[in-house]
Amino acid sequence: MSTTQLALLALFAGVVIGGSVALVIMLSLRARDRQRVLSSATVPEGVREVLHGMDDAAVVVDASGTVLAASVPASPFHLSEGEVLPSEELRALLRRTRGTELAASETIRLRRGAPPAEPRLVSVRASRVSARLTLFVLRDITEKERVEQMRRDFVANTSHELKTPVGAVTLLAEAVESAADDPDQVRIFAARLSAEANRLAQLTTRIMSLSRLQSTDELTDDRVVAVDEIVASAVDAHSIQADSAGVQIVRGGARGAYVRGDPQVLSEAVGNLIANAIAYSPQGASVGIGVKIVDGVVEIAVTDRGIGISERDQDRVFERFYRADPARARRTGGTGLGLSIVKHAVQRHGGEVRLWSRPGRGSTFTVRLPLTAAPDDVPPRKKRKKKRPAAAVLENMPQNGDLA
């Protein structure tokens, strides 16, 4: 072999050996970098335990948006370990957080559960844990936002409702002053002024009553009270209204039932139902009040044969200031708060209100309250052998289950 060939062979061997050494070094560097990446994407010790003890939805994700660790409440938002962030808003928040050392917050809508579950309003806070790890904490604020919206609506509606009688009082006062030389006109304006003042006082009183019922304060007079006492008080309070409207109030059903609660609040609740039934009943009609005991529950049903409530309005009649027929409510002096007061009063006593209604046939509102044992000092009632005429009238009136 010549000297030239030996030199070429040595050069080739050097290239091969050098290339192999370079390849080994390069592979070693890549392995080291891969190990560094893997170690940086590993969830720090104790993080999973902390997440599992959280009440809020919380997850730790890597740079690709894959969930590495998650709390139990995160699962309904489709944020379980191994899954990718399900929302583009979350992925955008991840990219924004990785570019800064500061935490970032966003309010977004996420679907909780499988369709057709409604999207929930969620407050999300993202914070960097390491170069490749980011912590997301999600808090469902749907109910908080709903309550806040209700508060804003209540304030707006109340302001609107108060403006009407206040404006009327102001105008009527000016009219009385301008008609000072005409006694007949003064009497007319004074009567209307008194009516508007009474309406304003009624509205203010009902707003205060509703605010008390929605507060966390305890009931003023919580005791065992006879349902007969509640019904009798409600009927007496509206007997003049019934006589003026030409409507007969009929009382029937079980006697001697007892519930626990505030008798004044419960009497006002039943009274509101009676007042509505009278206001929406034609002249010469009857309003029935029946009491039943069913499976440990006392049912107080107020039934009328009035104009009825359409199915579209039945879900909203218990809202504040909602009127199915605003024009008629204005004529009858309604405030739009009566049924809302009934709902909250009954709920404060552990009960519920049910509604059955058909346009043109009438309505039945049923207050359902837990039955309570009679006080020890009350003697047992004797059973009646004869059916009272009132009970016979009630049987012919529409009831909750009468859907024919």
Side-chain angles (χ1 to χ4, degrees), residues 104-353:
S105 300
E106 192 76 46
T107 299
I108 63 176
R109 290 195 177 273
L110 287 178
R111 190 176 299 277
R112 182 178 181 180
E118 291 291 331
R120 309 287 291 181
L121 190 65
V122 179
S123 174
V124 184
R125 181 179 177 84
S127 307
R128 286 185 61 183
V129 177
S130 67
R132 291 185 56 84
L133 298 182
T134 304
L135 171 67
F136 282 85
V137 178
L138 298 82
R139 179 162 296 175
D140 190 340
I141 60 172
T142 306
E143 292 304 317
K144 179 181 178 181
E145 183 66 18
R146 184 184 64 81
V147 171
E148 181 62 22
Q149 184 62 45
M150 289 176 60
R151 185 193 67 80
R152 290 193 294 266
D153 291 344
F154 181 68
V155 172
N157 291 337
T158 302
S159 302
H160 175 74
E161 293 294 330
L162 288 174
K163 284 180 182 177
T164 302
V166 169
V169 167
T170 303
L171 292 175
L172 288 170
E174 295 175 356
V176 169
E177 183 179 3
S178 63
D181 298 333
D182 189 343
D184 293 335
Q185 285 296 317
V186 169
R187 280 192 291 270
I188 294 173
F189 289 140
R192 293 178 60 185
L193 183 63
S194 177
E196 290 296 334
N198 290 333
R199 180 182 168 193
L200 181 60
Q202 182 186 26
L203 180 59
T204 304
T205 300
R206 292 204 163 191
I207 291 174
M208 294 175 62
S209 299
L210 185 57
S211 298
R212 283 196 300 268
L213 290 172
Q214 291 183 290
S215 69
T216 56
D217 298 337
E218 295 294 329
L219 295 171
T220 304
D221 184 15
D222 187 11
R223 60 182 174 86
V224 176
V225 58
V227 174
D228 297 337
E229 175 187 338
I230 296 171
V231 173
S233 176
V235 171
D236 290 343
H238 295 85
S239 58
I240 296 178
Q241 178 191 358
D243 292 339
S244 300
V247 174
Q248 179 187 10
I249 300 178
V250 180
R251 162 72 164 93
R255 302 271 179 166
Y258 288 82
V259 296
R260 185 169 190 86
D262 188 321
Q264 181 177 353
V265 173
L266 291 174
S267 178
E268 181 181 359
V270 176
N272 285 339
L273 296 179
I274 295 175
N276 277 359
I278 295 172
Y280 288 92
S281 292
Q283 186 174 8
S286 297
V287 170
I289 306 172
V291 178
K292 290 196 303 182
I293 301 174
V294 181
D295 297 330
V297 175
V298 180
E299 295 185 349
I300 306 173
V302 179
T303 303
D304 65 67
R305 288 189 177 275
I307 61 176
I309 304 171
S310 67
E311 188 174 353
R312 178 191 61 191
D313 294 320
Q314 289 183 23
D315 292 335
R316 300 194 61 190
V317 293
F318 293 101
E319 296 179 11
R320 306 181 195 91
F321 299 113
Y322 183 80
R323 300 181 177 94
D325 186 353
R328 185 181 180 92
R330 293 288 185 186
R331 293 196 302 271
T332 58
T335 63
L337 291 174
L339 291 179
S340 185
I341 290 175
V342 173
K343 174 186 173 181
H344 287 91
V346 174
Q347 287 180 343
R348 285 295 300 271
H349 289 79
E352 63 174 348
V353 184

